Every structure is written in C-alpha cells, then in structure tokens.
Short mmCIF file of all heavy atoms in Angstrom, two decimals:
data_model
loop_
_atom_site.label_atom_id
_atom_site.label_comp_id
_atom_site.label_asym_id
_atom_site.label_seq_id
_atom_site.Cartn_x
_atom_site.Cartn_y
_atom_site.Cartn_z
N MET A 1 75.29 27.39 31.51
CA MET A 1 75.38 25.94 31.41
C MET A 1 74.83 25.34 32.75
O MET A 1 75.12 25.88 33.85
CB MET A 1 76.80 25.55 31.16
CG MET A 1 76.85 24.10 30.66
SD MET A 1 78.46 23.68 30.09
CE MET A 1 79.29 23.11 31.49
N GLN A 2 74.10 24.18 32.67
CA GLN A 2 73.59 23.58 33.87
C GLN A 2 74.68 22.90 34.68
O GLN A 2 75.62 22.30 34.08
CB GLN A 2 72.53 22.51 33.43
CG GLN A 2 71.69 22.06 34.55
CD GLN A 2 70.62 21.04 34.11
OE1 GLN A 2 70.64 20.63 32.95
NE2 GLN A 2 69.69 20.73 34.99
N ALA A 3 74.59 22.94 36.01
CA ALA A 3 75.65 22.33 36.86
C ALA A 3 75.67 20.80 36.67
O ALA A 3 74.63 20.20 36.48
CB ALA A 3 75.37 22.67 38.32
N GLN A 4 76.84 20.32 36.66
CA GLN A 4 77.05 18.89 36.50
C GLN A 4 76.98 18.15 37.89
O GLN A 4 77.43 18.75 38.86
CB GLN A 4 78.37 18.54 35.85
CG GLN A 4 78.56 19.09 34.54
CD GLN A 4 77.84 18.29 33.43
OE1 GLN A 4 77.86 17.06 33.48
NE2 GLN A 4 77.18 18.92 32.49
N ARG A 5 76.54 16.90 37.90
CA ARG A 5 76.55 16.15 39.09
C ARG A 5 77.27 14.81 38.76
O ARG A 5 76.92 14.12 37.87
CB ARG A 5 75.14 15.82 39.57
CG ARG A 5 75.10 15.00 40.82
CD ARG A 5 73.67 15.00 41.32
NE ARG A 5 73.61 14.33 42.66
CZ ARG A 5 72.75 13.36 42.91
NH1 ARG A 5 71.96 12.88 41.92
NH2 ARG A 5 72.73 12.74 44.04
N ILE A 6 78.36 14.50 39.51
CA ILE A 6 79.14 13.27 39.27
C ILE A 6 78.94 12.35 40.51
O ILE A 6 79.22 12.80 41.64
CB ILE A 6 80.60 13.60 39.05
CG1 ILE A 6 80.72 14.55 37.87
CG2 ILE A 6 81.43 12.34 38.88
CD1 ILE A 6 82.12 15.06 37.67
N VAL A 7 78.51 11.17 40.29
CA VAL A 7 78.37 10.17 41.39
C VAL A 7 79.41 9.10 41.18
O VAL A 7 79.52 8.45 40.16
CB VAL A 7 76.93 9.54 41.39
CG1 VAL A 7 76.83 8.54 42.49
CG2 VAL A 7 75.85 10.60 41.51
N ILE A 8 80.23 8.92 42.26
CA ILE A 8 81.23 7.88 42.25
C ILE A 8 80.84 6.85 43.22
O ILE A 8 80.58 7.09 44.43
CB ILE A 8 82.61 8.47 42.65
CG1 ILE A 8 83.08 9.61 41.69
CG2 ILE A 8 83.68 7.35 42.80
CD1 ILE A 8 84.23 10.44 42.22
N VAL A 9 80.73 5.61 42.85
CA VAL A 9 80.34 4.46 43.73
C VAL A 9 81.61 3.71 44.05
O VAL A 9 82.27 3.17 43.14
CB VAL A 9 79.27 3.56 43.04
CG1 VAL A 9 78.91 2.48 44.03
CG2 VAL A 9 78.06 4.41 42.64
N GLY A 10 81.95 3.63 45.35
CA GLY A 10 83.14 2.98 45.82
C GLY A 10 84.17 3.96 46.28
O GLY A 10 84.64 4.74 45.44
N GLY A 11 84.39 4.03 47.56
CA GLY A 11 85.38 4.96 48.10
C GLY A 11 86.71 4.35 48.47
O GLY A 11 87.30 4.71 49.51
N GLY A 12 87.15 3.41 47.68
CA GLY A 12 88.47 2.85 47.85
C GLY A 12 89.53 3.76 47.24
O GLY A 12 89.35 4.97 47.10
N PHE A 13 90.69 3.21 46.86
CA PHE A 13 91.73 3.98 46.30
C PHE A 13 91.29 4.71 45.03
O PHE A 13 91.47 5.91 44.91
CB PHE A 13 92.94 3.11 45.94
CG PHE A 13 93.89 3.00 47.10
CD1 PHE A 13 94.03 1.71 47.68
CD2 PHE A 13 94.67 4.00 47.54
CE1 PHE A 13 94.87 1.54 48.79
CE2 PHE A 13 95.52 3.82 48.60
CZ PHE A 13 95.60 2.57 49.22
N GLY A 14 90.62 3.96 44.14
CA GLY A 14 90.15 4.49 42.88
C GLY A 14 89.13 5.64 43.11
O GLY A 14 89.30 6.75 42.61
N GLY A 15 88.05 5.35 43.88
CA GLY A 15 87.02 6.30 44.05
C GLY A 15 87.46 7.53 44.84
O GLY A 15 87.08 8.68 44.50
N ALA A 16 88.18 7.32 45.91
CA ALA A 16 88.56 8.43 46.78
C ALA A 16 89.50 9.40 45.99
O ALA A 16 89.42 10.57 46.12
CB ALA A 16 89.26 7.91 48.05
N PHE A 17 90.46 8.82 45.28
CA PHE A 17 91.40 9.63 44.52
C PHE A 17 90.73 10.34 43.35
O PHE A 17 91.08 11.49 43.03
CB PHE A 17 92.63 8.85 44.13
CG PHE A 17 93.66 8.78 45.28
CD1 PHE A 17 93.52 7.77 46.20
CD2 PHE A 17 94.64 9.72 45.45
CE1 PHE A 17 94.39 7.66 47.31
CE2 PHE A 17 95.49 9.66 46.53
CZ PHE A 17 95.41 8.63 47.48
N ALA A 18 89.76 9.66 42.67
CA ALA A 18 88.98 10.33 41.64
C ALA A 18 88.22 11.49 42.21
O ALA A 18 88.19 12.59 41.57
CB ALA A 18 88.05 9.34 40.94
N ALA A 19 87.65 11.31 43.37
CA ALA A 19 86.83 12.41 44.00
C ALA A 19 87.71 13.56 44.31
O ALA A 19 87.35 14.72 44.07
CB ALA A 19 86.15 11.89 45.23
N ARG A 20 88.89 13.24 44.84
CA ARG A 20 89.86 14.37 45.19
C ARG A 20 90.29 15.11 43.98
O ARG A 20 90.34 16.32 44.02
CB ARG A 20 91.04 13.71 45.95
CG ARG A 20 91.82 14.79 46.78
CD ARG A 20 92.85 14.15 47.58
NE ARG A 20 94.06 13.77 46.81
CZ ARG A 20 95.24 13.56 47.36
NH1 ARG A 20 95.42 13.67 48.64
NH2 ARG A 20 96.27 13.22 46.61
N TYR A 21 90.54 14.35 42.90
CA TYR A 21 91.02 15.00 41.65
C TYR A 21 89.86 15.87 41.07
O TYR A 21 90.10 17.06 40.69
CB TYR A 21 91.43 13.90 40.66
CG TYR A 21 91.88 14.48 39.27
CD1 TYR A 21 93.23 14.78 39.10
CD2 TYR A 21 90.97 14.71 38.28
CE1 TYR A 21 93.63 15.32 37.88
CE2 TYR A 21 91.37 15.18 37.09
CZ TYR A 21 92.71 15.49 36.89
OH TYR A 21 93.08 16.08 35.66
N LEU A 22 88.68 15.29 41.03
CA LEU A 22 87.53 16.05 40.46
C LEU A 22 87.19 17.27 41.29
O LEU A 22 86.83 18.33 40.71
CB LEU A 22 86.32 15.11 40.33
CG LEU A 22 86.42 14.08 39.28
CD1 LEU A 22 85.34 12.99 39.41
CD2 LEU A 22 86.35 14.68 37.84
N LYS A 23 87.28 17.21 42.61
CA LYS A 23 87.06 18.32 43.46
C LYS A 23 87.95 19.48 43.09
O LYS A 23 87.57 20.66 43.13
CB LYS A 23 87.19 17.96 44.94
CG LYS A 23 86.68 18.89 45.89
CD LYS A 23 86.75 18.37 47.32
CE LYS A 23 86.38 19.48 48.31
NZ LYS A 23 86.61 19.03 49.66
N ARG A 24 89.18 19.15 42.77
CA ARG A 24 90.17 20.18 42.42
C ARG A 24 90.01 20.70 41.00
O ARG A 24 90.17 21.93 40.79
CB ARG A 24 91.58 19.61 42.63
CG ARG A 24 92.65 20.66 42.42
CD ARG A 24 94.05 20.07 42.75
NE ARG A 24 94.15 19.59 44.11
CZ ARG A 24 95.17 18.87 44.49
NH1 ARG A 24 96.14 18.55 43.72
NH2 ARG A 24 95.25 18.44 45.78
N TYR A 25 89.71 19.82 39.98
CA TYR A 25 89.74 20.26 38.61
C TYR A 25 88.41 20.32 37.86
O TYR A 25 88.41 20.83 36.74
CB TYR A 25 90.67 19.27 37.86
CG TYR A 25 92.13 19.40 38.36
CD1 TYR A 25 92.67 18.32 39.06
CD2 TYR A 25 92.87 20.51 38.16
CE1 TYR A 25 93.98 18.37 39.54
CE2 TYR A 25 94.19 20.61 38.62
CZ TYR A 25 94.75 19.51 39.30
OH TYR A 25 96.02 19.63 39.76
N ALA A 26 87.34 19.83 38.46
CA ALA A 26 86.04 19.92 37.80
C ALA A 26 85.58 21.41 37.69
O ALA A 26 85.98 22.17 38.59
CB ALA A 26 84.97 19.11 38.53
N PRO A 27 84.76 21.73 36.79
CA PRO A 27 84.30 23.10 36.67
C PRO A 27 83.62 23.50 37.96
O PRO A 27 82.93 22.73 38.63
CB PRO A 27 83.33 23.05 35.49
CG PRO A 27 83.69 21.90 34.71
CD PRO A 27 84.26 20.87 35.69
N PRO A 28 83.73 24.83 38.31
CA PRO A 28 83.04 25.30 39.48
C PRO A 28 81.56 24.97 39.44
O PRO A 28 80.91 25.03 38.38
CB PRO A 28 83.24 26.82 39.39
CG PRO A 28 84.45 27.06 38.57
CD PRO A 28 84.39 25.85 37.56
N GLY A 29 80.98 24.58 40.61
CA GLY A 29 79.55 24.29 40.69
C GLY A 29 79.29 22.80 40.44
O GLY A 29 78.18 22.35 40.68
N THR A 30 80.30 22.04 40.05
CA THR A 30 80.08 20.60 39.84
C THR A 30 79.85 19.90 41.21
O THR A 30 80.59 20.15 42.16
CB THR A 30 81.35 19.98 39.21
OG1 THR A 30 81.59 20.62 37.98
CG2 THR A 30 81.10 18.48 38.89
N GLU A 31 78.83 19.12 41.28
CA GLU A 31 78.53 18.44 42.54
C GLU A 31 79.12 17.00 42.42
O GLU A 31 78.90 16.28 41.48
CB GLU A 31 76.99 18.28 42.72
CG GLU A 31 76.55 17.66 44.06
CD GLU A 31 75.11 17.45 44.14
OE1 GLU A 31 74.32 18.03 43.35
OE2 GLU A 31 74.69 16.67 44.96
N ILE A 32 79.97 16.70 43.41
CA ILE A 32 80.63 15.36 43.42
C ILE A 32 80.14 14.62 44.62
O ILE A 32 80.28 15.05 45.75
CB ILE A 32 82.17 15.55 43.46
CG1 ILE A 32 82.64 16.34 42.26
CG2 ILE A 32 82.84 14.21 43.52
CD1 ILE A 32 83.99 17.01 42.40
N GLU A 33 79.62 13.43 44.30
CA GLU A 33 79.04 12.63 45.43
C GLU A 33 79.73 11.27 45.42
O GLU A 33 79.89 10.58 44.40
CB GLU A 33 77.56 12.37 45.15
CG GLU A 33 76.84 11.70 46.33
CD GLU A 33 75.29 11.65 46.10
OE1 GLU A 33 74.88 12.07 44.97
OE2 GLU A 33 74.63 11.32 47.09
N LEU A 34 80.33 10.96 46.60
CA LEU A 34 81.07 9.70 46.75
C LEU A 34 80.25 8.78 47.62
O LEU A 34 79.94 9.08 48.77
CB LEU A 34 82.43 9.97 47.38
CG LEU A 34 83.41 8.81 47.59
CD1 LEU A 34 83.74 8.14 46.28
CD2 LEU A 34 84.61 9.33 48.25
N ILE A 35 79.89 7.64 47.13
CA ILE A 35 79.04 6.70 47.85
C ILE A 35 79.89 5.46 48.15
O ILE A 35 80.53 4.86 47.26
CB ILE A 35 77.81 6.21 47.05
CG1 ILE A 35 76.94 7.49 46.76
CG2 ILE A 35 76.99 5.19 47.72
CD1 ILE A 35 75.77 7.21 45.78
N ASN A 36 79.92 5.06 49.39
CA ASN A 36 80.70 3.89 49.82
C ASN A 36 79.87 3.03 50.70
O ASN A 36 78.96 3.47 51.34
CB ASN A 36 82.01 4.31 50.48
CG ASN A 36 83.01 3.20 50.54
OD1 ASN A 36 83.30 2.53 49.50
ND2 ASN A 36 83.61 3.00 51.68
N SER A 37 80.26 1.76 50.81
CA SER A 37 79.45 0.88 51.69
C SER A 37 79.87 1.08 53.13
O SER A 37 79.17 0.57 54.04
CB SER A 37 79.76 -0.66 51.28
OG SER A 37 81.12 -0.87 51.20
N THR A 38 80.93 1.76 53.45
CA THR A 38 81.28 2.17 54.82
C THR A 38 81.64 3.63 54.87
O THR A 38 81.82 4.20 53.81
CB THR A 38 82.51 1.29 55.28
OG1 THR A 38 83.66 1.73 54.50
CG2 THR A 38 82.32 -0.16 55.17
N ASN A 39 81.77 4.20 56.08
CA ASN A 39 82.13 5.59 56.19
C ASN A 39 83.61 5.73 56.57
O ASN A 39 83.99 6.72 57.20
CB ASN A 39 81.24 6.36 57.12
CG ASN A 39 81.38 6.00 58.51
OD1 ASN A 39 82.03 4.94 58.80
ND2 ASN A 39 80.76 6.67 59.47
N TYR A 40 84.40 4.69 56.22
CA TYR A 40 85.82 4.78 56.48
C TYR A 40 86.63 4.24 55.27
O TYR A 40 86.08 3.46 54.48
CB TYR A 40 86.25 4.08 57.78
CG TYR A 40 85.69 2.63 57.81
CD1 TYR A 40 86.52 1.63 57.29
CD2 TYR A 40 84.52 2.29 58.42
CE1 TYR A 40 86.08 0.33 57.31
CE2 TYR A 40 84.10 0.98 58.46
CZ TYR A 40 84.86 -0.02 57.86
OH TYR A 40 84.48 -1.37 57.85
N PHE A 41 87.88 4.64 55.24
CA PHE A 41 88.78 4.21 54.15
C PHE A 41 89.71 3.19 54.74
O PHE A 41 90.31 3.47 55.77
CB PHE A 41 89.56 5.44 53.60
CG PHE A 41 90.57 5.13 52.56
CD1 PHE A 41 90.23 4.97 51.20
CD2 PHE A 41 91.92 4.99 52.93
CE1 PHE A 41 91.22 4.67 50.27
CE2 PHE A 41 92.85 4.67 52.04
CZ PHE A 41 92.53 4.52 50.65
N VAL A 42 89.88 2.05 54.04
CA VAL A 42 90.86 1.02 54.51
C VAL A 42 92.14 1.15 53.70
O VAL A 42 92.07 1.08 52.48
CB VAL A 42 90.26 -0.38 54.36
CG1 VAL A 42 91.31 -1.42 54.87
CG2 VAL A 42 88.99 -0.50 55.19
N PHE A 43 93.26 1.35 54.36
CA PHE A 43 94.53 1.41 53.65
C PHE A 43 95.07 -0.04 53.57
O PHE A 43 95.64 -0.59 54.52
CB PHE A 43 95.53 2.32 54.41
CG PHE A 43 96.83 2.53 53.66
CD1 PHE A 43 96.87 3.39 52.62
CD2 PHE A 43 97.92 1.88 54.03
CE1 PHE A 43 98.02 3.61 51.88
CE2 PHE A 43 99.13 2.09 53.32
CZ PHE A 43 99.17 3.00 52.24
N GLN A 44 94.68 -0.70 52.45
CA GLN A 44 94.89 -2.12 52.30
C GLN A 44 96.34 -2.58 52.47
O GLN A 44 96.59 -3.66 53.00
CB GLN A 44 94.33 -2.56 51.01
CG GLN A 44 92.80 -2.51 50.98
CD GLN A 44 92.22 -3.00 49.66
OE1 GLN A 44 92.91 -3.30 48.71
NE2 GLN A 44 90.88 -3.07 49.64
N PRO A 45 97.38 -1.81 52.02
CA PRO A 45 98.71 -2.33 52.24
C PRO A 45 99.06 -2.54 53.67
O PRO A 45 100.08 -3.28 53.91
CB PRO A 45 99.57 -1.11 51.60
CG PRO A 45 98.71 -0.58 50.55
CD PRO A 45 97.32 -0.63 51.15
N LEU A 46 98.37 -1.99 54.64
CA LEU A 46 98.64 -2.26 56.12
C LEU A 46 97.91 -3.45 56.63
O LEU A 46 98.14 -3.86 57.78
CB LEU A 46 98.32 -0.98 56.95
CG LEU A 46 99.34 0.19 56.83
CD1 LEU A 46 98.87 1.29 57.70
CD2 LEU A 46 100.75 -0.25 57.15
N LEU A 47 97.01 -4.06 55.77
CA LEU A 47 96.24 -5.16 56.39
C LEU A 47 97.06 -6.40 56.85
O LEU A 47 96.70 -7.03 57.81
CB LEU A 47 95.16 -5.65 55.36
CG LEU A 47 94.02 -4.66 55.17
CD1 LEU A 47 93.02 -5.16 54.14
CD2 LEU A 47 93.29 -4.34 56.47
N PRO A 48 98.17 -6.72 56.20
CA PRO A 48 99.01 -7.82 56.70
C PRO A 48 99.51 -7.55 58.14
O PRO A 48 99.54 -8.44 58.98
CB PRO A 48 100.21 -7.87 55.75
CG PRO A 48 99.67 -7.41 54.44
CD PRO A 48 98.69 -6.24 54.89
N GLU A 49 99.86 -6.27 58.42
CA GLU A 49 100.25 -5.92 59.77
C GLU A 49 99.13 -6.09 60.82
O GLU A 49 99.30 -6.49 61.99
CB GLU A 49 100.80 -4.46 59.81
CG GLU A 49 102.18 -4.30 59.40
CD GLU A 49 102.31 -4.25 57.85
OE1 GLU A 49 101.34 -4.47 57.12
OE2 GLU A 49 103.49 -4.05 57.36
N VAL A 50 97.86 -5.77 60.36
CA VAL A 50 96.72 -5.93 61.13
C VAL A 50 96.52 -7.45 61.45
O VAL A 50 96.27 -7.87 62.60
CB VAL A 50 95.43 -5.35 60.50
CG1 VAL A 50 94.16 -5.66 61.35
CG2 VAL A 50 95.63 -3.83 60.40
N ALA A 51 96.62 -8.23 60.38
CA ALA A 51 96.39 -9.69 60.50
C ALA A 51 97.44 -10.32 61.43
O ALA A 51 97.17 -11.28 62.17
CB ALA A 51 96.43 -10.38 59.13
N SER A 52 98.64 -9.79 61.42
CA SER A 52 99.75 -10.36 62.28
C SER A 52 99.66 -9.81 63.72
O SER A 52 100.39 -10.25 64.60
CB SER A 52 101.09 -10.06 61.67
OG SER A 52 101.37 -8.69 61.74
N GLY A 53 98.81 -8.81 63.95
CA GLY A 53 98.68 -8.21 65.28
C GLY A 53 99.66 -7.10 65.55
O GLY A 53 99.67 -6.57 66.69
N ALA A 54 100.45 -6.69 64.54
CA ALA A 54 101.43 -5.59 64.78
C ALA A 54 100.68 -4.25 64.83
O ALA A 54 101.16 -3.33 65.45
CB ALA A 54 102.43 -5.57 63.65
N LEU A 55 99.57 -4.17 64.20
CA LEU A 55 98.75 -2.93 64.22
C LEU A 55 97.33 -3.27 64.61
O LEU A 55 96.85 -4.38 64.33
CB LEU A 55 98.73 -2.25 62.87
CG LEU A 55 99.94 -1.59 62.37
CD1 LEU A 55 99.72 -1.03 60.97
CD2 LEU A 55 100.38 -0.44 63.28
N MET A 56 96.59 -2.31 65.18
CA MET A 56 95.18 -2.48 65.42
C MET A 56 94.44 -1.91 64.13
O MET A 56 94.98 -1.06 63.44
CB MET A 56 94.71 -1.67 66.62
CG MET A 56 95.40 -2.07 67.91
SD MET A 56 94.94 -3.76 68.42
CE MET A 56 93.30 -3.53 68.96
N LEU A 57 93.24 -2.48 63.85
CA LEU A 57 92.57 -2.11 62.66
C LEU A 57 92.32 -0.61 62.47
O LEU A 57 92.54 -0.05 61.39
CB LEU A 57 91.15 -2.81 62.59
CG LEU A 57 90.36 -2.57 61.29
CD1 LEU A 57 91.21 -2.98 60.04
CD2 LEU A 57 89.05 -3.35 61.32
N PRO A 58 92.01 0.17 63.58
CA PRO A 58 91.87 1.59 63.36
C PRO A 58 93.08 2.30 62.83
O PRO A 58 93.02 3.33 62.21
CB PRO A 58 91.50 2.12 64.80
CG PRO A 58 90.88 0.94 65.47
CD PRO A 58 91.60 -0.27 64.90
N GLU A 59 94.24 1.68 63.05
CA GLU A 59 95.47 2.29 62.57
C GLU A 59 95.64 2.11 61.05
O GLU A 59 96.50 2.76 60.45
CB GLU A 59 96.69 1.67 63.25
CG GLU A 59 96.68 1.99 64.74
CD GLU A 59 97.82 1.26 65.51
OE1 GLU A 59 97.66 0.01 65.83
OE2 GLU A 59 98.87 1.91 65.73
N ALA A 60 94.80 1.22 60.44
CA ALA A 60 94.89 1.06 58.99
C ALA A 60 93.70 1.70 58.29
O ALA A 60 93.44 1.43 57.10
CB ALA A 60 94.97 -0.42 58.67
N THR A 61 92.90 2.43 59.05
CA THR A 61 91.70 3.04 58.47
C THR A 61 91.65 4.55 58.78
O THR A 61 92.28 4.96 59.73
CB THR A 61 90.35 2.36 59.00
OG1 THR A 61 90.29 2.63 60.44
CG2 THR A 61 90.32 0.95 58.69
N SER A 62 90.91 5.30 57.98
CA SER A 62 90.65 6.70 58.41
C SER A 62 89.17 6.96 58.09
O SER A 62 88.59 6.48 57.10
CB SER A 62 91.52 7.62 57.60
OG SER A 62 91.23 7.57 56.21
N GLY A 63 88.54 7.70 59.01
CA GLY A 63 87.12 7.99 58.92
C GLY A 63 86.85 9.08 57.88
O GLY A 63 87.67 9.94 57.69
N ASN A 64 85.74 8.98 57.26
CA ASN A 64 85.23 10.01 56.32
C ASN A 64 83.80 10.28 56.56
O ASN A 64 82.95 9.76 55.83
CB ASN A 64 85.47 9.57 54.86
CG ASN A 64 86.95 9.62 54.46
OD1 ASN A 64 87.52 10.67 54.30
ND2 ASN A 64 87.58 8.43 54.45
N SER A 65 83.51 11.02 57.61
CA SER A 65 82.11 11.26 58.03
C SER A 65 81.31 11.95 56.93
O SER A 65 80.10 11.94 56.93
CB SER A 65 82.08 12.00 59.29
OG SER A 65 82.78 13.26 59.15
N GLY A 66 81.97 12.65 55.97
CA GLY A 66 81.29 13.32 54.88
C GLY A 66 80.76 12.39 53.82
O GLY A 66 80.04 12.80 52.98
N TRP A 67 81.18 11.09 53.86
CA TRP A 67 80.78 10.20 52.78
C TRP A 67 79.36 9.75 52.96
O TRP A 67 78.90 9.58 54.07
CB TRP A 67 81.65 8.98 52.87
CG TRP A 67 83.02 9.19 52.31
CD1 TRP A 67 83.65 10.40 52.01
CD2 TRP A 67 84.05 8.21 52.09
NE1 TRP A 67 84.95 10.24 51.61
CE2 TRP A 67 85.24 8.89 51.63
CE3 TRP A 67 84.05 6.89 52.20
CZ2 TRP A 67 86.36 8.22 51.33
CZ3 TRP A 67 85.24 6.18 51.83
CH2 TRP A 67 86.32 6.86 51.41
N LYS A 68 78.74 9.53 51.80
CA LYS A 68 77.39 8.91 51.88
C LYS A 68 77.59 7.35 51.85
O LYS A 68 78.43 6.88 51.01
CB LYS A 68 76.57 9.32 50.71
CG LYS A 68 76.18 10.75 50.84
CD LYS A 68 74.95 11.08 49.93
CE LYS A 68 74.59 12.58 50.21
NZ LYS A 68 73.51 12.95 49.40
N THR A 69 76.92 6.68 52.72
CA THR A 69 77.11 5.22 52.71
C THR A 69 75.84 4.53 52.14
O THR A 69 74.75 5.07 52.18
CB THR A 69 77.34 4.69 54.09
OG1 THR A 69 76.36 5.14 54.93
CG2 THR A 69 78.71 5.18 54.65
N LYS A 70 76.04 3.36 51.55
CA LYS A 70 74.95 2.60 50.93
C LYS A 70 75.07 1.21 51.39
O LYS A 70 76.09 0.64 51.57
CB LYS A 70 75.09 2.70 49.44
CG LYS A 70 74.16 1.90 48.70
CD LYS A 70 74.50 1.90 47.17
CE LYS A 70 73.94 0.72 46.45
NZ LYS A 70 74.59 -0.51 46.52
C1 FAD B 1 96.52 -6.81 51.69
C2 FAD B 1 96.66 -5.92 50.49
C3 FAD B 1 97.83 -5.17 50.26
C4 FAD B 1 97.98 -4.36 49.13
N1 FAD B 1 99.17 -3.69 48.96
C5 FAD B 1 99.28 -2.85 47.93
C6 FAD B 1 100.45 -2.11 47.71
O1 FAD B 1 101.37 -2.14 48.48
N2 FAD B 1 100.58 -1.33 46.62
C7 FAD B 1 99.54 -1.22 45.68
O2 FAD B 1 99.70 -0.49 44.72
N3 FAD B 1 98.41 -1.92 45.84
C8 FAD B 1 98.22 -2.72 46.90
N4 FAD B 1 97.12 -3.49 47.08
C9 FAD B 1 96.05 -3.38 46.06
C10 FAD B 1 95.21 -2.11 46.24
O3 FAD B 1 94.80 -1.97 47.53
C11 FAD B 1 94.05 -2.26 45.28
O4 FAD B 1 94.53 -2.41 43.94
C12 FAD B 1 93.15 -1.08 45.37
O5 FAD B 1 92.61 -0.95 46.65
C13 FAD B 1 91.98 -1.18 44.30
O6 FAD B 1 91.32 0.02 44.38
P1 FAD B 1 89.74 0.04 44.06
O7 FAD B 1 89.32 1.53 44.27
O8 FAD B 1 89.56 -0.53 42.69
O9 FAD B 1 89.07 -0.86 45.10
P2 FAD B 1 89.00 -0.79 46.65
O10 FAD B 1 90.16 -0.02 47.24
O11 FAD B 1 88.82 -2.18 47.15
O12 FAD B 1 87.65 0.04 46.91
C14 FAD B 1 86.37 -0.46 46.69
C15 FAD B 1 85.37 0.31 47.58
O13 FAD B 1 84.06 0.09 47.07
C16 FAD B 1 83.23 -0.07 48.17
N5 FAD B 1 82.06 -0.86 47.78
C17 FAD B 1 82.05 -2.16 47.39
N6 FAD B 1 80.84 -2.51 46.98
C18 FAD B 1 80.01 -1.41 47.17
C19 FAD B 1 78.67 -1.10 46.91
N7 FAD B 1 77.85 -2.07 46.45
N8 FAD B 1 78.24 0.16 47.22
C20 FAD B 1 79.01 1.10 47.73
N9 FAD B 1 80.35 0.87 47.92
C21 FAD B 1 80.86 -0.33 47.67
C22 FAD B 1 84.11 -0.83 49.27
O14 FAD B 1 83.67 -0.58 50.59
C23 FAD B 1 85.49 -0.13 49.00
O15 FAD B 1 85.63 1.04 49.82
C24 FAD B 1 96.90 -4.26 48.24
C25 FAD B 1 95.73 -4.97 48.41
C26 FAD B 1 95.60 -5.79 49.48
C27 FAD B 1 94.27 -6.55 49.79
#
C-alpha cells in the first residue's frame, strides 16, 4: 500500500493535538505535516495573565522549531 501523507493546517490546540494523536496511531510510514503561521504554540488560557503583566509572553508560548510555517 502507498504511504499516506496528512497535512494539518493550523498548529493551535486542534492541529497540534491532532498531529500528536496521528503520530501515535496512524499506520507506520504515514507522513504528517503540520503547517502553522508561526513556529510557536500560544497557550491561550494564559493570555489574560500576559495582558495584565503577571506573565511575560514567552511564558505563555512554546517553540516548535520542527513546524513548517506559512
Ligand atoms: C484568552 C483565552 C483564554 C482561553 N481559555 C480557555 C480555557 O481555559 N479552556 C478552554 O478549553 N479553552 C480556552 N480558550 C479557547 C481555546 O484556546 C480555543 O478554543 C482553541 O485554541 C481553539 O483551537 P483551534 O485549534 O481551533 O484554534 P487556535 O488554537 O486558535 O489555532 C489556530 C492556529 O492556526 C494558525 N493559523 C491561522 N491562520 C493560518 C494560516 N492561514 N496558515 C497557517 N496557520 C494558520 C494560527 O497561528 C494558530 O496557531 C481560550 C481562548 C482565549 C483567547
């Protein structure tokens, strides 16, 4: 059988967790590509703390250098 390629556009909660799930459960050899407009993940529930100055923005984000950006 030919290898499958899955492209996920958007690396927010939905896309990042879909990619993580597929990486674990997709058939071996499946290529999973996650495309996001940035190379970092924003943990949105912490944004009010960033807006109030209780946290700095890097504390609410995590880098994902392996992501393809568009
Ligand atoms: C301040 C705040 C607090 C929240 N608190 C909670 C909470 O406590 N509990 C809870 O369950 N939910 C919370 N939410 C809601 C939750 O964050 C969203 O429901 C969730 O992020 C939606 O996930 P998503 O993957 O659909 O979109 P997003 O997480 O917004 O991801 C979309 C991604 O697509 C990327 N993108 C956009 N356009 C393009 C493009 N053209 N090409 C490539 N990439 C693109 C963006 O960069 C982004 O990474 C909160 C939201 C906010 C704003």
